[in-house]
């Protein structure tokens, strides 16, 4: 009989590059002071909930957010590199305006239709989405009837929401606002182990 895994998707707290609107991708930045405060308040919000597992990507900003949750919930932090943000190649460290100047308006196009953009040195969008989808399914299947927290990145959350809603990724991105330390909750139907 199918069961459901309750999943709380959490975007990491703020970094200096978030504040400066620089593209992070897999650049490994820590939380800034505001990010640590966001992580603490998020952890307080989750305190007392019947959580069964806590996963995070391997990037510092995500780990530091997960560690704040772990301190309040007593859960172990389980690291899964497949939960990392998309690797954005030559764009990492640049602002959207800098990308547009260097790459002939590519960031403006990315904002409305990322599937049409090829970023030099970056992970392909299809490979990224397949990686995120596989990580999510693998984690959810390990916790049938569980209530898990996954601390990850805006791109990962958007990809998973598009998958779960059977929505067009490009169209959904135009409508989503995924703030630092924001929460998205969903249920994933699972088959318990035989």
């Amino acid at each position: 009989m199918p069961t459901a895994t309750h999943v709380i998707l959490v975007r990491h707290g703020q970094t200096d590059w978030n504040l400066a609107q620089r593209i992070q991708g897999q650049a490994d930045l820590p939380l800034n002071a505001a990010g640590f405060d966001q992580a603490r308040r998020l952890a307080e919000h989750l305190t007392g909930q019947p959580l069964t597992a806590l996963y995070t990507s391997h990037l510092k900003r995500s780990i530091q957010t997960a560690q704040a949750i772990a301190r309040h919930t007593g859960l172990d932090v389980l690291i899964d590199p497949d939960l990392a943000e998309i690797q954005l190649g030559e764009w990492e460290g640049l602002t959207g305006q800098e990308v547009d100047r260097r790459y002939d308006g590519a960031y403006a196009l990315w904002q409305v239709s990322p599937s049409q953009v090829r970023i030099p040195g970056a992970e392909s969008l299809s490979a990224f989405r397949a990686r995120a989808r596989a990580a999510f399914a693998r984690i959810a299947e390990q916790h049938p009837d569980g209530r898990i927290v996954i601390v990850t990145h805006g791109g990962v959350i958007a990809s998973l929401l598009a998958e779960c809603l059977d929505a067009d990724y490009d169209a959904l991105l135009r409508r989503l606002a995924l703030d630092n330390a924001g929460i998205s909750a969903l249920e994933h139907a699972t088959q318990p182990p035989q």
Side-chain angles (χ1 to χ4, degrees), residues 57-122:
S57 85
H58 69 292
L59 298 173
K60 286 177 194 168
R61 58 195 185 266
S62 189
I63 289 174
Q64 290 170 332
T65 303
Q67 288 170 334
I69 295 168
R71 283 191 293 276
H72 280 77
T73 63
L75 293 170
D76 292 331
V77 176
L78 305 171
I79 297 173
D80 188 331
D82 286 340
L83 294 171
E85 183 63 281
I86 186 171
Q87 200 281 335
L88 290 170
E90 293 180 12
W91 287 16
E92 291 185 6
L94 302 176
T95 65
Q97 291 176 334
E98 290 168 337
V99 169
D100 279 342
R101 282 195 301 271
R102 292 182 193 186
Y103 299 97
D104 195 28
Y107 187 75
L109 179 59
W110 174 267
Q111 293 295 100
V112 296
S113 190
S115 62
Q116 294 183 25
V117 179
R118 301 294 171 261
I119 303 168

Side-chain angles (χ1 to χ4, degrees), residues 121-190:
E123 180 178 17
S124 74
L125 190 56
S126 61
F128 161 67
R129 293 191 65 206
R131 169 172 60 80
R133 182 173 50 248
F136 178 80
R138 181 177 66 248
I139 290 167
E141 293 295 327
Q142 291 175 16
H143 301 279
D145 280 334
R147 187 173 178 83
I148 62 175
V149 177
I150 297 177
V151 182
T152 186
H153 307 268
V156 175
I157 295 169
S159 179
L160 295 175
L161 291 176
E163 189 75 25
C164 291
L165 297 170
D166 196 26
D168 176 79
Y169 180 74
D170 289 1
L172 184 66
L173 276 184
R174 289 192 294 273
R175 298 179 7 221
L176 278 180
L178 299 169
D179 294 329
N180 289 112
I183 294 175
S184 302
L186 53 91
E187 290 186 1
H188 177 75
T190 56

Side-chain angles (χ1 to χ4, degrees), residues 6-80:
H6 301 272
V7 183
I8 299 169
L9 297 171
V10 172
R11 186 176 177 211
H12 61 80
Q14 185 186 75
T15 69
D16 285 342
W17 279 14
N18 289 136
L19 190 59
Q21 298 185 343
R22 294 200 172 277
I23 297 165
Q24 288 183 110
Q26 289 189 16
D28 200 10
L29 287 99
L31 298 178
N32 62 18
F36 278 111
D37 186 55
Q38 289 170 338
R40 177 191 54 77
R41 286 184 284 129
L42 172 68
E44 289 171 355
H45 174 75
L46 294 174
T47 299
Q49 294 192 31
L51 305 173
T52 55
L54 171 60
Y55 287 85
T56 182
S57 85
H58 69 292
L59 298 173
K60 286 177 194 168
R61 58 195 185 266
S62 189
I63 289 174
Q64 290 170 332
T65 303
Q67 288 170 334
I69 295 168
R71 283 191 293 276
H72 280 77
T73 63
L75 293 170
D76 292 331
V77 176
L78 305 171
I79 297 173
D80 188 331

